[in-house]
Amino acid sequence: MNAPPVSLVSIRGNHFVLINSMAMEGDGCSLCTRALTEIDRIADIFKCSSGSPLCRGRTKLEHYSRPIIMQHYPLYRQSDSICTESDAAPLPERNNLFEERWDCLSKESTEYLVERLRPRAAFGAHTHHSCVVRHSFAPTPEHKTEFIEYTVPSFSWRNRLDPKYYLVTVTPDEVKMAKCELPREATMQLCAVLMIVALTVYMKYFYTKRLLFFNYKQWTGKKV
């Protein structure tokens, strides 16, 4: 599948910038170069749509709203120590320092994305644990960007005991998130064992009842 490193998807006035995190390595690779070119193009579309005097092109969105970034890696942060959700990384793992470009985007790439796109929300994953971070970037007092980043926990029993998924409601004015979870794997295993036991008891009861009924017919000679 030849997917672009960066793409803009607009749905009912909501704009999502989908980013291949590998394209944000910043090592000058061809994929990175294509990604930066596309981000600059998309950033100009948002500038033109918002009426910014810095607009250089002609392409505009029909309905302007700040974009939502979606990618695999979380944006730069030193560690998960700032994460306070019940399904955040356990201690002491939560205090382990992140390695840029391995556990999260680099600080440079993060600042570049925020400065160019000025997102109103961001979604990432990769760590397998939940985290909600309130970002505030202010390169200048006139260009302050504030938004919330959601790190989505893993939806797999292989990675965590309580897999989660998000239900997100998005409008041009707000983003609402509800977190849902699967039962723990041990709960599912216990339910399976109980169902097998119940089925075994039922089959034994059904077989015994039929056997008694058959013996009764043989003993009385009645046809039922």
Side-chain angles (χ1 to χ4, degrees):
M1 182 177 180
N2 188 23
V6 180
S7 58
L8 172 62
V9 178
S10 298
I11 304 174
R12 297 181 180 179
N14 301 292
H15 311 294
F16 303 88
V17 180
L18 313 183
I19 300 174
N20 182 340
S21 298
M22 295 294 100
M24 301 307 298
E25 286 288 301
D27 57 1
C29 68
S30 60
L31 183 67
C32 301
T33 302
R34 288 167 52 201
L36 296 181
T37 300
E38 187 63 15
I39 289 172
D40 288 342
R41 186 187 71 83
I42 292 173
D44 190 64
I45 292 175
F46 283 107
K47 288 178 182 177
C48 296
S49 303
S50 65
S52 170
L54 300 177
C55 169
R56 295 179 298 176
R58 296 182 178 180
T59 305
K60 293 184 179 181
L61 299 167
E62 184 177 356
H63 301 287
Y64 170 76
S65 65
R66 288 167 57 194
I68 296 172
I69 292 177
M70 304 188 76
Q71 60 177 348
H72 179 71
Y73 276 15
L75 298 175
Y76 172 80
R77 58 177 179 261
Q78 290 186 334
S79 69
D80 270 349
S81 59
I82 58 176
C83 308
T84 58
E85 290 67 39
S86 60
D87 50 354
L91 293 170
E93 177 186 343
R94 193 181 306 176
N95 295 323
N96 293 343
L97 294 179
F98 278 2
E99 181 180 347
E100 295 183 42
R101 300 180 179 88
W102 184 261
D103 299 307
C104 62
L105 286 190
S106 67
K107 187 175 182 180
E108 179 184 4
S109 294
T110 298
E111 291 176 348
Y112 170 79
L113 286 176
V114 175
E115 180 182 353
R116 299 297 291 164
L117 298 176
R118 298 189 66 248
R120 59 187 173 114
F123 288 87
H126 185 64
T127 66
H128 298 164
H129 303 294
S130 178
C131 190
V132 177
V133 182
R134 288 167 175 80
H135 290 284
S136 180
F137 288 81
T140 63
E142 297 80 16
H143 296 85
K144 187 175 183 180
T145 302
E146 295 181 329
F147 64 96
I148 298 179
E149 177 190 6
Y150 301 93
T151 302
V152 183
S154 177
F155 188 61
S156 170
W157 281 313
R158 183 175 66 88
N159 297 324
R160 57 182 303 114
L161 295 175
D162 54 345
K164 300 286 198 314
Y165 62 94
Y166 283 178
L167 293 178
V168 182
T169 301
V170 181
T171 69
D173 300 317
E174 62 180 350
V175 177
K176 291 184 178 181
M177 185 274 295
K179 190 182 300 183
C180 306
E181 62 181 274
L182 288 177
R184 290 177 175 266
E185 188 173 13
T187 302
M188 299 298 293
Q189 292 171 343
L190 178 60
C191 289
V193 171
L194 292 177
M195 289 181 65
I196 292 173
V197 171
L199 181 61
T200 302
V201 171
Y202 172 77
M203 293 297 293
K204 185 175 181 180
Y205 168 78
F206 180 76
Y207 176 77
T208 302
K209 186 176 180 180
R210 289 203 60 181
L211 183 61
L212 291 174
F213 183 67
F214 177 76
N215 290 339
Y216 172 76
K217 288 197 300 179
Q218 292 292 327
W219 181 66
T220 60
K222 294 181 179 180
K223 294 183 179 180
V224 180

